[in-house]
Amino acid sequence: MTQNGDEGLPDTSATSMHRQSPESRALLERVLSYSRDRMAHNQPLDAPLSPEELATRIPQTITPDGLGGDKALRIFENTLAPSCISSDHPGFLSFIPNAATEAATMFDLVVSASSIYGGSWMEGAGAVYAENEVLRWLASEVGLPPGAGGVFAQGGTIGNLSALVAARHSAQAKRTASGRSLPSRWMIACSSEAHSSLRTAATVMDVDLLPVPVANDGQLTRKSLESALNAQPDGGANVFAVVATAGTTNLGLIDDLEGIGALAEERDLWFHIDGAYGLAGILVPELKPLFRGAERADSFIVDPHKWLFTPFDACALVYRDPSIAYRAHSQHAEYLDTLENDALWNPSDYSIQLTRRARGLPLWFSLATHGTKKYREAIAATAETAQAVSRVIRETPHLELVAEPTLSVVAFTRVGWSAEQYNHWSQKLLTSGVGFVTPSSHRGKPILRFAIINPLSTLDVLRPILDTLAD
Ligand SMILES: *Cc1c(COP(=O)(O)O)cnc(C)c1O
């Protein structure tokens, strides 16, 4: 009907969405201009509206004939975006904030415009090459050997799950090869303080979780792990992996990586480190000793969208021996044969996803632009801010530290406050546009926590938030 190439193509309604027109160019300028403004770091904190409130403020947006880009963009800009909390706002201190560098954010736009299939070398060689350079750098910082490698997966939940799937596959293969029987239920050991995504992984894998109680300091030690394993009916023979957390989300605590890693080796258990938030701290020379033993890991994750300053969403998942992960994750299908029959690096072979955005490229671009030194400095600066905040808290009679900050999470209480008072204060702080600090809990008691990963969350920003806790 038509020839290839723009000249011969009639402007039918089927092609009109894909071909550029003066109107679409104008819309592109407005979208880029919106993005430019949004990246200026002067966005308000904003707060969510209820479904009912949103329904009264915006018309039906999905219609047979479309609203036109201008109108749709206005609805986003005026109503939808302001009803999303800006997780890069310096006052955003809940959960783990997001604080992408300008370079990383701008490159996310480039990735979006580039239509790169990041699942295979054949299609995305250049992108995969650059991503792998970043993964190798992270692996060497953690102390893994040069053969280590992996993939940028979607997030820590998928990263943990993928690593544990590889771990079980490996345990199963080893037992089968040596003629031993397989346990009726496999088990993963981790600290009772470990992230909820490990329970999710266990559920998805249909294995059990062995949450090991921790001592008062919240750290999982070799000793407690050993007694928990020994207390199992079969002495822990059905455990195939142990997960240590390097930076708990709630308090930023780091498990005894050295002791746990050594025990895992003695018992031939897969040693996985969940460093989604905290492992980035290993890049700071002063913090590095806290991560002693990390080099023993069979696999680790760290989320660049947390303390490595990239936009949502990315998880660096690295294996000591990627060939093990390959055997667990490589997908086989006739239409994939051409991808399989080469020895090249296909990222889809290392996690449970096939099609993949080249989501490591924003970090690559930012690192290539700024160099690793600036990263170390920015991470160190946020850890120093956490120390400064904890000094202010120590000097304030109505505030009490829950623990000395290990990394960049400061957990504290307002003396004498009930859960209700915390909630009321938190709501008021958000609606006033000053900060977002949701109450958390520790050993059944309500606490407040500042998760400081944004270099713009300086003491000057945080002190006024502490001041509001006076009354
Ligand atoms: C955030 C976090 C996760 C989950 O990562 P997502 O990217 O949110 O899926 C897992 N473990 C720890 C320790 C985390 O802090």
Side-chain angles (χ1 to χ4, degrees):
M1 185 186 82
T2 54
Q3 285 142 3
N4 278 342
D6 267 13
E7 301 300 303
L9 271 175
D11 238 340
T12 64
S13 133
T15 58
S16 67
M17 291 194 297
H18 290 76
R19 302 184 74 190
Q20 281 191 341
S21 64
E23 298 79 57
S24 76
R25 290 299 324 186
L27 180 60
L28 173 62
E29 288 314 313
R30 282 190 285 276
V31 167
L32 290 177
S33 156
Y34 172 85
S35 305
R36 220 173 271 126
D37 291 346
R38 178 58 184 81
M39 285 166 65
H41 284 301
N42 52 11
Q43 72 289 351
L45 180 61
D46 295 325
L49 295 175
S50 69
E52 296 75 26
E53 285 169 314
L54 283 170
T56 61
R57 278 171 214 213
I58 54 176
Q60 179 93 20
T61 55
I62 308 303
T63 62
D65 296 319
L67 306 178
D70 279 345
K71 188 158 182 207
L73 182 60
R74 267 201 312 278
I75 290 171
F76 177 76
E77 192 169 356
N78 298 335
T79 315
L80 297 175
S83 129
C84 302
I85 302 181
S86 308
S87 45
D88 56 344
H89 187 281
F92 188 118
L93 304 162
S94 289
F95 315 119
I96 301 290
N98 178 247
T101 66
E102 204 180 0
T105 304
M106 62 177 84
F107 215 70
D108 210 46
L109 292 171
V110 172
V111 173
S112 292
S114 301
S115 194
I116 296 165
Y117 179 86
S120 76
W121 185 272
M122 182 189 240
E123 291 154 279
V128 176
Y129 180 86
E131 288 186 322
N132 283 355
E133 190 180 347
V134 178
L135 292 172
R136 266 199 311 278
W137 173 66
L138 289 170
S140 79
E141 289 290 326
V142 172
L144 263 52
V151 58
F152 282 97
Q154 174 270 328
T157 302
I158 301 294
N160 281 335
L161 173 61
S162 298
L164 290 165
V165 165
R168 178 178 58 183
H169 191 272
S170 162
Q172 233 146 7
K174 273 193 214 165
R175 295 228 183 158
T176 308
S178 64
R180 283 175 293 165
S181 61
L182 299 178
S184 58
R185 297 283 302 170
W186 284 112
M187 210 173 212
I188 301 164
C190 64
S191 139
S192 55
E193 305 282 303
H195 191 265
S196 52
S197 58
L198 295 178
R199 173 144 321 266
T200 300
T203 306
V204 170
M205 294 170 71
D206 193 27
V207 302
D208 293 326
L209 202 63
L210 175 62
V212 181
V214 293
N216 267 342
D217 62 4
Q219 203 195 29
L220 178 65
T221 59
R222 177 193 165 113
K223 201 163 148 249
S224 45
L225 175 62
E226 197 158 24
S227 22
L229 292 176
N230 291 342
Q232 285 297 298
D234 56 358
N238 57 344
V239 174
F240 67 92
V242 43
V243 181
T245 306
T248 55
T249 323
N250 208 24
L251 297 185
L253 302 171
I254 303 167
D255 290 338
D256 169 21
L257 305 180
E258 176 65 35
I260 295 167
L263 183 64
E265 195 178 323
E266 285 161 29
R267 296 207 174 204
D268 198 19
L269 301 174
W270 185 281
F271 178 36
H272 175 68
I273 297 181
D274 177 2
Y277 148 62
L279 192 52
I282 205 168
L283 297 172
V284 178
E286 292 76 23
L287 299 176
K288 190 155 181 140
L290 299 170
F291 299 89
R292 212 166 50 88
E295 70 282 357
R296 291 176 171 276
D298 291 300
S299 56
F300 71 79
I301 64 154
V302 56
D303 277 359
H305 64 226
K306 288 180 173 172
W307 215 6
L308 284 172
F309 318 126
T310 75
F312 298 123
D313 43 26
C315 165
L317 162 62
V318 176
Y319 302 92
R320 169 179 298 271
D321 178 356
S323 72
I324 299 176
Y326 174 91
R327 287 195 286 277
H329 289 295
S330 184
Q331 292 193 24
H332 302 274
E334 275 170 22
Y335 80 97
L336 295 173
D337 277 353
T338 48
L339 301 179
E340 230 184 276
N341 295 337
D342 56 39
L344 296 170
W345 192 272
N346 297 317
S348 63
D349 291 334
Y350 302 97
S351 82
I352 58 167
Q353 53 195 125
L354 181 62
T355 295
R356 194 182 68 91
R357 173 185 180 81
R359 51 169 42 85
L361 282 185
L363 175 58
W364 165 77
F365 183 72
S366 188
L367 271 168
T369 299
H370 296 297
T372 56
K373 198 161 150 255
K374 282 223 173 102
Y375 270 74
R376 297 185 207 282
E377 287 167 2
I379 296 166
T382 55
E384 280 156 25
T385 302
Q387 293 298 335
V389 167
S390 79
R391 278 195 294 276
V392 174
I393 290 172
R394 238 181 275 123
E395 289 158 10
T396 310
H398 57 268
L399 300 179
E400 218 166 66
L401 280 178
V402 170
E404 292 296 324
T406 309
L407 295 171
S408 66
V409 176
V410 189
F412 60 101
T413 56
R414 165 62 167 86
V415 178
W417 271 14
S418 64
E420 203 180 307
Q421 280 169 300
Y422 282 116
N423 286 332
H424 180 76
W425 171 84
S426 169
Q427 196 53 49
K428 209 169 131 198
L429 190 72
L430 179 62
T431 46
S432 67
V434 173
F436 182 47
V437 181
T438 51
S440 178
S441 73
H442 178 60
R443 296 178 201 277
K445 262 182 41 190
I447 63 165
L448 294 173
R449 60 186 275 287
F450 285 3
I452 304 164
I453 63 116
N454 189 340
L456 301 178
S457 302
T458 58
L459 189 59
D460 288 345
V461 172
L462 304 183
R463 198 192 284 271
I465 297 179
L466 290 175
D467 288 345
T468 63
L469 288 160
D471 32 68

